[in-house]
Amino acid sequence: MEERIPPPPPPPHPQPYDPNSPKLQVPYIGPGTYVVQVPKDQIYRIPPPENAYIAESYRNSPGRDKKRSCSCWCCVCVIVFIIILIIIGAIVGGLFSIVLKPKSPRFSIQRFQLKNSTHPLYNITLKVNNPNSNVGINYKEGGDVSLSLKKREIASGTYPSFFQASDNTKETRLTLKASKGGLPKEVNKSMSNKKKKVNVKFTLSIKVHAQMKMWSFHSGTMKYDVTCQLKVDTLAKNTRILSQQCKTKRL
């Protein structure tokens, strides 16, 4: 009978990797081509942390760029939309003024009174007329009013903001504060002389910012320069306007 050859013994089980085990000392080997065999139990299955950080940054970078590009496009669209609205508004306002050709408002002075106190005030009642039959006028803030005597400003104030319907006449009150330096001598003389009335001539200048309105359409802001030359009989009690001439000029 033939003798049976016993099977070879099983290979030894690999020892678990011990990170605390001393590192192998690799001797210096000269240049050349070599084949290095690494035991399977010493191959790392988990990449180093720095590799994971790099991979994560590459994975997230496209999303950030996409979000950034989307936000930039949104900003550009909003800016373009606002510019288009401004252009459309300018075109509509220009057509409004050209087609309808609204008339300028008319101004006249109804009453003039000087209130003498620690801080003198000139109270002027102004009558404003809108001659347009289908167009209202919206007086905006920012209007200035000044009162002059012999080309020297003696008082100033602001023009009120309000809306005036079409074909309408309205009274509005202006309160002007006297300039520093006291009242002019002509004004003091007219106020103090009660036996004889002393006439005084003034110039009232008004700068108005207005906007025409018809239904839901608005024109652009229009600027008017109003100049009124007036003469009063006295600045004492019961002041009466002897003459006046008001001119309105569109700027």
Side-chain angles (χ1 to χ4, degrees):
M1 296 180 64
E2 295 181 358
E3 294 182 358
R4 293 182 178 181
I5 299 175
H13 295 284
Q15 298 295 328
Y17 172 72
D18 186 5
N20 297 325
S21 63
K23 297 182 179 179
L24 297 177
Q25 298 294 332
V26 180
Y28 172 77
I29 302 176
T33 302
Y34 304 93
V35 177
V36 180
Q37 295 182 353
V38 180
K40 292 183 178 180
D41 57 349
Q42 294 186 9
I43 296 177
Y44 293 99
R45 301 296 181 184
I46 302 175
E50 56 270 16
N51 291 359
Y53 175 77
I54 295 173
E56 188 70 19
S57 63
Y58 276 107
R59 187 183 300 113
N60 295 334
S61 59
R64 293 179 181 176
D65 294 340
K66 188 174 181 180
K67 292 180 180 178
R68 189 179 296 111
S69 62
C70 291
S71 61
C72 292
W73 273 110
C74 291
C75 293
V76 171
C77 292
V78 171
I79 294 173
V80 172
F81 181 72
I82 293 174
I83 293 174
I84 292 174
L85 287 181
I86 293 174
I87 294 174
I88 293 174
I91 294 173
V92 172
L95 292 176
F96 187 97
S97 302
I98 295 172
V99 175
L100 294 180
K101 296 181 180 180
K103 299 177 182 178
S104 301
R106 300 167 184 169
F107 299 84
S108 61
I109 300 173
Q110 295 297 105
R111 288 179 290 277
F112 190 98
Q113 180 186 16
L114 173 59
K115 184 179 179 181
N116 190 16
S117 60
T118 307
H119 302 284
L121 297 175
Y122 293 86
N123 296 321
I124 302 173
T125 302
L126 202 66
K127 184 171 74 172
V128 186
N129 174 254
N130 178 11
N132 299 285
S133 57
N134 297 318
V135 179
I137 302 178
N138 184 23
Y139 296 95
K140 304 177 68 176
E141 295 181 355
D144 298 323
V145 184
S146 64
L147 186 67
S148 301
L149 176 63
K150 293 183 178 180
K151 298 182 180 182
R152 183 171 68 91
E153 183 178 299
I154 61 173
S156 62
T158 58
Y159 190 83
S161 60
F162 60 91
F163 176 77
Q164 187 174 20
S166 59
D167 198 15
N168 174 265
T169 300
K170 182 176 181 179
E171 288 189 355
T172 182
R173 185 175 180 181
L174 307 177
T175 301
L176 310 182
K177 295 181 180 180
S179 304
K180 295 181 180 179
L183 297 173
K185 60 180 182 179
E186 294 88 350
V187 174
N188 281 323
K189 183 178 179 180
S190 181
M191 290 181 61
S192 59
N193 197 334
K194 297 181 180 179
K195 295 182 179 180
K196 181 181 178 181
K197 294 182 178 181
V198 179
N199 301 342
V200 184
K201 294 180 180 180
F202 296 98
T203 301
L204 181 67
S205 300
I206 307 173
K207 297 186 182 299
V208 180
H209 299 171
Q211 194 176 38
M212 302 297 174
K213 180 180 179 183
M214 182 177 181
W215 301 316
S216 299
F217 298 99
H218 295 79
S219 70
T221 301
M222 301 178 180
K223 297 181 180 180
Y224 295 97
D225 191 358
V226 184
T227 304
C228 294
Q229 305 287 345
L230 68 148
K231 180 180 178 180
V232 297
D233 60 346
T234 180
L235 293 175
K237 293 182 178 180
N238 301 323
T239 301
R240 189 166 60 94
I241 299 174
L242 299 178
S243 62
Q244 64 171 300
Q245 185 178 7
C246 295
K247 295 181 179 180
T248 303
K249 180 181 178 182
R250 181 178 172 182
L251 302 178

